[in-house]
Amino acid sequence: QVQLVESGGGLVQAGGSLRLSCAASGRPVTMYALGWFRQAPGKEREFVATISRGGGSTAYADSVKGRFTISRDNAKNTMYLQTNSLKPEDTAVYYCAARERALGSVAMRDYDYWGQGTQVTVSS
């Protein structure tokens, strides 16, 4: 099975940017479509973005479209989430997830492996 470790979170002012990383180990990341989800305090975990196994297909939640960009470097076994124009409502723990399919999914239940999360806090 694959292990996922997120990094890159932190405290940033509104309008700022962060680049989150998700490093995979244990099995080649080329076996998996990947996704980012987030969970704010008191709220359910929600879909943010997903990318296909080869990187050619992506999808985003409406709330982040145009501000966030998902990408992957299969040679480095790593996925990224570039977050720009951050808003206080983006504050959450961000999780990466993997599914052993060619295409990603917006549904949490479709993912088999999860990381521990990285905290993103956006101050106003």
Side-chain angles (χ1 to χ4, degrees):
Q1 62 183 24
V2 66
Q3 290 80 46
L4 305 172
V5 178
E6 303 93 337
S7 62
L11 173 63
V12 64
Q13 289 187 331
S17 300
L18 287 172
R19 189 174 82 153
L20 309 184
S21 298
C22 173
S25 62
R27 298 182 82 183
V29 74
T30 50
M31 296 178 65
Y32 304 94
L34 303 169
W36 286 99
F37 291 77
R38 67 185 182 186
Q39 187 166 17
K43 295 187 177 181
E44 294 187 352
R45 196 171 298 188
E46 65 176 6
F47 167 74
V48 175
T50 187
I51 189 165
S52 61
R53 187 182 285 169
S57 177
T58 60
Y60 297 88
D62 287 343
S63 59
V64 306
K65 203 171 293 183
R67 300 188 298 122
F68 291 9
T69 303
I70 190 171
S71 62
R72 62 191 295 164
D73 185 337
N74 286 340
K76 295 183 177 180
N77 265 8
T78 303
M79 173 178 65
Y80 305 98
L81 185 69
Q82 178 66 44
T83 67
N84 297 328
S85 302
L86 284 163
K87 305 175 182 179
E89 51 264 42
D90 294 318
T91 294
V93 177
Y94 284 70
Y95 298 90
C96 65
R99 66 191 300 254
E100 202 168 337
R101 297 289 188 275
L103 296 178
S105 171
V106 305
M108 285 178 52
R109 64 178 181 273
D110 290 338
Y111 290 84
D112 305 304
Y113 305 101
W114 292 83
Q116 293 301 306
T118 186
Q119 175 71 48
V120 171
T121 303
V122 185
S123 62
S124 57

